[in-house]
């Protein structure tokens, strides 16, 4: 997370977090002060893990199934820590880490490696912290199946691709006037062909190199000062790592003075079989009519965001449309200011595979063979 994000999120931190505690304070997870909101809540959701029913219960809020954070630590054995300086919980380890910043007057702020999408949310309910089931499925390597009839969530470890994902950093000299923090993932694995590995790693590294080059260019042309230093950085999250497919979210940040910085989000989805960078048409090959559906639906949604602000109207998907894939489906991404004011954030819209594919149709048809 860049320092501007930290400053913004610090204003949202909960009152009453125990200062000076180096690990998660159990008392806060179980009894944090909370602000109740008007929601449709269904309590008593059973949680099963490795064939056992847990003592802790989940809840449903407005149709979203939420899992108590305490259960991740106590029953699933997911590592957690607590930073008393920033009042931030860290959940998980490895290439994806979930950060939760509670608030005494709003819902907690949640991100994965500094990346906060519209599908990420959390709740403080009756003194407990909860995160949505989708976060477990999409980013923490936990499969989650919801049985509506039995009001039960069944959790299990995901069968991930047998690859290693390491975070790398590009060397760049920072000083009092500029900060560079450029990261990118690199993959390896005995079952990954050398040509495919090189192709994937080359795309990811080139993206990071482009961020650094753009930052140095803006630094050379700008007027950075020690009072208002420039910042250039990025991070990544692994959104899908199953079935021979790897989908990576790359998020870039730049601050060159002014009221706020700029953030760009880029999805890169690969076939591990040959290292091919997939297009949306490759993912949704089983539905030749997907463009018509998405164009119609995205026009309605993007036009609804504008509220008379004078932005351009959505016409159709780009040939190289920006997107990423999660277990929840396909998320179509647009840039800041494309169709909405800055305050709205990055416009992105998630569609389940059931919405996009015919019954029995599978995503990535022919790509992972």
């Amino acid at each position: 997370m860049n320092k501007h994000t930290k400053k913004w999120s610090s204003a949202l931190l909960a009152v009453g977090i125990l200062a000076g505690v180096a690990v998660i304070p159990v008392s806060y997870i179980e009894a944090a002060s909370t602000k109740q909101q008007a929601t449709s809540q269904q309590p008593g959701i059973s949680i099963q893990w490795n064939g056992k029913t847990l003592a802790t219960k989940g809840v449903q809020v407005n149709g979203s199934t939420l899992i108590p954070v305490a259960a991740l630590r106590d029953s699933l054995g997911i590592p957690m820590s607590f930073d008393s300086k920033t009042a931030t919980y860290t959940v998980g380890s490895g290439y994806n880490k979930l950060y939760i910043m509670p608030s005494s007057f709003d819902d907690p702020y949640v991100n994965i490696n500094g990346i906060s999408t519209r599908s990420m949310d959390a709740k403080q309910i009756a003194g407990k912290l909860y995160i949505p089931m989708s976060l477990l499925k999409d980013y923490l390597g936990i499969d989650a199946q919801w049985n509506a009839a039995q009001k039960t969530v069944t959790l299990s470890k995901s069968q991930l691709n047998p690859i290693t994902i390491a975070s790398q950093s590009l060397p760049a000299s920072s000083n009092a006037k500029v900060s560079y923090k450029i990261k990118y993932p690199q993959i390896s694995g005995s079952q990954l062909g050398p040509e495919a590995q090189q192709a994937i790693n080359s795309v990811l590294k080139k993206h990071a190199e482009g961020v650094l080059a753009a930052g140095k260019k803006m630094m050379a042309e700008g007027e950075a000062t020690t009072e208002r230093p420039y910042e250039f950085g990025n991070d990544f999250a692994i959104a899908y790592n199953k079935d021979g497919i790897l989908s990576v979210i790359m998020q870039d940040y730049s601050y060159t003075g002014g009221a706020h910085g700029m953030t760009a989000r880029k999805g890169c989805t690969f076939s591990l079989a040959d290292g091919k960078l997939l297009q949306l048409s490759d993912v949704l090959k089983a539905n030749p009519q997907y463009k018509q559906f998405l164009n119609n639906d995205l026009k309605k949604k993007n036009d609804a965001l504008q509220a008379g602000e004078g932005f351009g109207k959505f016409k159709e998907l780009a040939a190289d449309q920006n997107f990423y894939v999660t277990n929840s489906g396909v998320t179509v991404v647009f840039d800041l200011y494309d169709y909405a004011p800055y305050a709205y954030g990055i416009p992105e819209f998630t569609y389940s595979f059931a919405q996009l594919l015919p019954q029995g149709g599978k995503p990535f048809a022919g790509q992972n063979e």
Side-chain angles (χ1 to χ4, degrees), residues 95 159-164 240-247 272:
Y95 50 76
Q159 296 297 313
L160 302 178
N161 293 315
I163 59 175
T164 298
Y240 194 89
N241 184 23
K242 299 170 65 176
D243 308 319
I245 301 295
L246 180 70
S247 192
L272 297 183

Side-chain angles (χ1 to χ4, degrees), residues 52-294:
K52 297 181 180 180
T53 300
L54 307 185
T56 53
K57 300 288 186 179
V59 298
Q60 273 202 331
V61 177
N62 296 335
S64 177
T65 302
L66 305 178
I67 307 297
V69 171
L72 308 183
R73 176 201 61 201
D74 298 338
S75 301
L76 276 63
I78 296 178
M80 293 190 186
S81 61
F82 177 71
D83 185 334
S84 60
K85 292 182 179 180
T86 60
T88 302
Y89 298 98
T90 301
V91 183
S93 59
Y95 50 76
N96 278 353
K97 290 184 180 179
L98 171 67
Y99 296 92
I100 307 174
M101 303 175 188
S103 167
S104 60
F105 56 88
D106 203 352
D107 287 336
Y109 172 69
V110 179
N111 67 72
I112 298 288
N113 300 346
I115 300 171
S116 183
T117 74
R118 296 190 177 276
S119 65
M120 297 176 185
D121 55 13
K123 297 288 183 183
Q124 293 173 191
I125 303 172
K128 295 182 180 180
L129 278 173
Y130 292 81
I131 60 173
M133 182 176 71
S134 59
L135 271 179
L136 298 180
K137 295 169 57 178
D138 294 344
Y139 299 101
L140 295 183
I142 302 294
D143 281 336
Q145 301 295 328
W146 165 243
N147 186 315
Q150 298 181 6
K151 297 181 181 180
T152 299
V153 173
T154 301
L155 305 178
S156 60
K157 288 187 176 181
S158 300
Q159 296 297 313
L160 302 178
N161 293 315
I163 59 175
T164 298
I165 302 171
S167 177
Q168 303 289 335
S169 298
L170 288 179
S173 298
S174 300
N175 55 50
K177 291 185 178 181
V178 63
S179 171
Y180 297 103
K181 295 180 180 179
I182 313 297
K183 299 180 181 179
Y184 61 97
Q186 295 286 266
I187 69 170
S188 60
S190 59
Q191 298 185 22
L192 191 64
E195 292 184 359
Q197 178 174 316
Q198 181 178 3
I200 294 170
N201 286 339
S202 177
V203 169
L204 298 172
K205 186 176 182 181
K206 283 183 179 179
H207 179 92
E209 290 172 338
V211 174
L212 180 58
K216 289 186 175 182
K217 184 174 186 293
M218 283 187 276
M219 184 63 186
E221 297 174 349
E223 299 178 352
T225 65
T226 55
E227 290 76 20
R228 297 184 74 85
Y230 285 9
E231 284 188 57
F232 304 100
N234 72 336
D235 214 326
F236 68 89
I238 305 301
Y240 194 89
N241 184 23
K242 299 170 65 176
D243 308 319
I245 301 295
L246 180 70
S247 192
V248 183
I249 304 173
M250 303 286 286
Q251 183 158 295
D252 313 325
Y253 175 82
S254 63
Y255 177 76
T256 56
H260 56 73
M262 289 294 291
T263 302
R265 187 173 298 152
K266 172 68 176 177
C268 295
T269 301
F270 303 94
S271 166
L272 297 183
D274 55 10
K276 179 182 178 181
L277 179 62
L278 302 181
Q279 301 297 320
L280 199 53
S281 57
D282 298 315
V283 178
L284 303 177
K285 189 176 181 179
N287 179 14
Q289 306 301 319
Y290 81 88
K291 283 187 178 181
Q292 180 178 348
F293 167 76
L294 284 178

